[in-house]
Amino acid sequence: MSALLEVQGLTRRFGGLTAVSDVSFAVSEGEIFGVIGPNGAGKTTLFNVIAGHYKPSAGTATFSGRGISGLRSDVIARLGIARTFQAVHLFAAETVAENLRRARVLSTSHGPFAYLRSFGTGRREPDLRDVATFVGLGPLLDQTAGGLAYGLQKMLGIGMALMVTPKLLLMDEPAAGLNPSEKRAASALIRRLRDERGISILLVEHDMPLVMGVCDRILVVNQGKPIAIGSPDAVKADPAVIDAYLGDDYEFA
Ligand SMILES: Nc1ncnc2c1ncn2[C@@H]1O[C@H](COP(=O)(O)OP(=O)(O)OP(=O)(O)O)[C@@H](O)[C@H]1O
Ligand SMILES: [Mg+2]
């Protein structure tokens, strides 16, 4: 497997606070790669820097061999990196279909000719119905997004990210707020994204059974700094990880 995303010494400061501190890792093509750590560890900030919402204070990110640090978020989206958000971001008064359509235009747009620039990236324009069916919203295309149950709103968030036909999907806490059966569905969906769509995944999640069950490798961060990287079994047995995050009485379902 070759590296799809390579992050080297990535750092992001906010005034005196270093939210992301000298983080390095590589995600292989076809990998489901987890990032875990306590609240405030810098996980969302790391996503924001990779996706171009924040500029790095130091370090680099390379995607498919191309340097992406410092590029605008719409440019990075067009290169094939999409993301889902920790909080649901959707147009509540509009239908599922309209949200998916808007996601395609908005995430890749910047300036009047943005739509034209989306041509020539070599990736197929996704079919709205196909995406809706994939995330379990096929029969609900004409429903108002704000009226959907929370779990379905989160699925719509994933569908919206798929509208840019990503090669890499950054998922920020996809299981937060879901009930146990919705969590199982989310976990299956993450696997299907990789297995059926060939999308590599960078996953931030606090639900440990889900993370440990679905990830190939995991990076653990604490106070912005990487403290461990490895297989789920290696990471959950690592004393530094138990000390900083998992706790002594941690057990798996
Ligand atoms: N735009 C910002 N300006 C100033 N500080 C910020 C900004 N964004 C994040 N931070 C700070 O950076 C640190 C890391 O925050 P971040 O949201 O990345 O953590 P997290 O690991 O995603 O936490 P959680 O698990 O609670 O979502 C926190 O101390 C936060 O307050
Ligand atoms: Mg976060």
Side-chain angles (χ1 to χ4, degrees):
M1 290 197 288
S2 55
L4 181 65
L5 175 74
E6 206 166 347
V7 167
Q8 276 290 342
L10 214 61
T11 298
R12 171 66 204 207
R13 297 183 199 94
F14 296 110
L17 173 84
T18 305
V20 175
S21 179
D22 198 14
V23 171
S24 301
F25 62 94
V27 179
S28 301
E29 199 146 353
E31 193 169 27
I32 301 178
F33 188 97
V35 180
I36 64 172
N39 293 118
K43 306 177 298 293
T44 297
T45 305
L46 176 66
F47 274 18
N48 282 330
V49 174
I50 293 170
H53 296 288
Y54 296 150
K55 294 210 184 314
S57 307
T60 57
T62 306
F63 180 64
S64 292
R66 175 176 176 172
I68 56 163
S69 22
L71 295 181
R72 274 197 330 247
S73 59
D74 59 300
V75 176
I76 292 175
R78 273 200 300 280
L79 290 173
I81 300 182
R83 67 175 301 184
T84 66
F85 292 90
Q86 192 164 346
V88 167
H89 281 50
L90 44 72
F91 302 94
E94 301 193 0
T95 64
V96 167
E98 193 52 35
N99 271 271
L100 291 171
R101 222 171 271 129
R102 277 179 180 270
R104 169 74 199 166
V105 177
L106 280 181
S107 58
T108 57
S109 64
H110 195 98
F113 298 109
Y115 179 67
L116 293 175
R117 285 203 306 270
S118 74
F119 288 108
T121 54
R123 293 196 315 284
R124 193 173 55 87
E125 183 101 354
D127 178 68
L128 194 146
R129 280 175 195 284
D130 173 56
V131 167
T133 303
F134 190 78
V135 298
L137 293 171
L140 302 174
L141 276 172
D142 297 325
Q143 296 276 315
T144 305
L148 296 175
Y150 186 72
L152 293 176
Q153 292 190 1
K154 294 214 58 148
M155 293 301 124
L156 177 55
I158 296 172
M160 289 167 78
L162 295 181
M163 292 304 289
V164 298
T165 325
K167 286 189 273 187
L168 176 70
L169 180 59
L170 315 183
M171 306 183 86
D172 199 351
E173 302 199 22
L178 301 187
N179 68 36
S181 78
E182 289 170 335
K183 280 184 183 175
R184 281 193 294 278
S187 170
L189 181 64
I190 292 166
R191 279 206 192 86
R192 285 174 51 227
L193 284 166
R194 190 262 305 272
D195 297 344
E196 297 174 20
R197 304 258 153 157
I199 299 171
S200 308
I201 312 274
L202 193 55
L203 173 69
V204 164
E205 183 51 64
H206 284 291
D207 186 296
M208 285 306 104
L210 188 151
V211 170
M212 299 292 175
V214 87
C215 290
D216 300 307
R217 285 188 307 144
I218 296 170
L219 167 73
V220 189
V221 287
N222 187 35
Q223 298 180 344
K225 298 185 196 73
I227 59 169
I229 188 166
S231 69
D233 283 345
V235 153
K236 68 188 172 195
D238 188 318
V241 177
I242 293 167
D243 188 42
Y245 184 46
L246 297 179
D248 286 332
D249 54 358
Y250 180 71
E251 279 180 25
F252 292 92

